[in-house]
């Protein structure tokens, strides 16, 4: 537990999410997710959060642990072919976590996810949040299309709308 980390999280205003992700940007991300899901049987969710509350900070919750928690809360695991993917962005810690369901995890390596995260982080360092997320969605789409091509029935099992926490 770092006092510096706790202070940064507790003092982070919620508006930093809206500064980086306006309503129009969130709508474009939603459209990209919707378009992506026509090219594969996977399901994508995007969640962004400014900072954590005090209790998780005192417990030492890492961005990865928070992403796993949200993977469950948002029911990303609850797809027919176990092919859900969560892209989680934690602004205060400046971390991106990609969590994939077990069906995808068998076929895509952690190194491949890491490459996508590093590309998104590079765009974010330059303040290009929309560009970074859309590029990440395109790269994830390519992986999912290769491993989970669309079938005749390709239901939209999860909401496409980004989640702002």
């Amino acid at each position: 537990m770092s006092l510096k980390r706790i202070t940064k999280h507790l003092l982070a205003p919620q508006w930093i999410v809206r500064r980086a992700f306006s309503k129009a940007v969130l709508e474009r991300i939603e459209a990209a997710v919707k378009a992506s899901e026509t090219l594969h049987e996977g399901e994508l969710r995007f969640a962004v959060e400014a900072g954590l509350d005090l209790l998780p900070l005192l417990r030492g919750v890492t961005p990865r642990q928070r992403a796993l928690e949200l993977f469950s809360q948002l029911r990303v695991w609850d797809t027919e072919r176990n092919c859900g993917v969560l892209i989680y962005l934690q602004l205060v810690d400046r971390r991106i976590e990609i969590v994939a369901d077990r069906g995808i995890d068998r076929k895509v390596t952690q190194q491949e996810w890491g490459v996508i995260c590093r590309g998104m982080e590079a765009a974010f360092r330059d303040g290009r949040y929309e560009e970074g997320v859309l590029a990440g969605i395109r790269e994830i789409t390519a992986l999912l299309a290769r491993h989970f091509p669309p079938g005749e029935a390709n239901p939209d099992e999860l909401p496409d709308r980004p989640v702002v926490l």
Side-chain angles (χ1 to χ4, degrees):
M1 166 177 49
S2 161
L3 186 56
K4 182 178 178 181
R5 180 176 185 239
I6 291 172
T7 302
K8 283 174 54 177
H9 276 265
L10 295 180
L11 295 179
Q14 185 60 26
W15 58 260
I16 66 171
V17 172
R18 290 291 178 206
R19 183 180 63 192
F21 295 96
S22 67
K23 183 178 180 196
V25 170
L26 292 172
E27 288 172 353
R28 288 190 289 274
I29 292 170
E30 180 177 359
V33 168
K34 186 177 292 299
S36 169
E37 291 177 353
T38 65
L39 302 174
H40 53 76
E41 288 189 343
E43 291 290 322
L44 299 180
R45 294 295 318 257
F46 173 75
V48 59
E49 186 166 40
L52 299 176
D53 292 330
L54 182 59
L55 186 57
L57 291 167
L58 292 175
R59 290 186 316 197
V61 171
T62 65
R64 183 68 179 178
Q65 291 168 327
R66 178 65 172 149
L68 291 169
E69 180 182 302
L70 290 171
F71 186 83
S72 175
Q73 286 178 7
L74 298 173
R75 301 181 61 89
V76 180
W77 54 268
D78 195 19
T79 62
E80 179 73 27
R81 293 196 54 208
N82 299 313
C83 55
V85 176
L86 172 67
I87 304 167
Y88 170 68
L89 173 57
Q90 208 288 309
L91 290 174
V92 172
D93 287 331
R94 298 180 178 192
R95 290 287 305 269
I96 302 161
E97 296 290 342
I98 298 176
V99 181
D101 205 346
R102 62 188 174 271
I104 295 170
D105 207 35
R106 291 185 198 120
K107 297 181 179 193
V108 179
T109 67
Q110 194 58 44
Q111 182 178 359
E112 290 173 289
W113 296 127
V115 168
I116 295 170
C117 288
R118 299 307 76 81
M120 293 173 70
E121 287 170 354
F124 295 166
R125 274 192 299 276
D126 294 336
R128 297 177 291 118
Y129 291 96
E130 178 181 2
E131 184 180 323
V133 172
L134 295 179
I137 290 171
R138 283 191 300 274
E139 292 178 43
I140 292 168
T141 299
L143 286 173
L144 293 177
R146 181 173 52 212
H147 297 295
F148 291 90
E152 284 188 32
N154 189 9
D156 191 3
E157 298 178 82
L158 298 173
D160 300 328
R161 177 165 297 193
V163 177
V164 177
L165 302 160

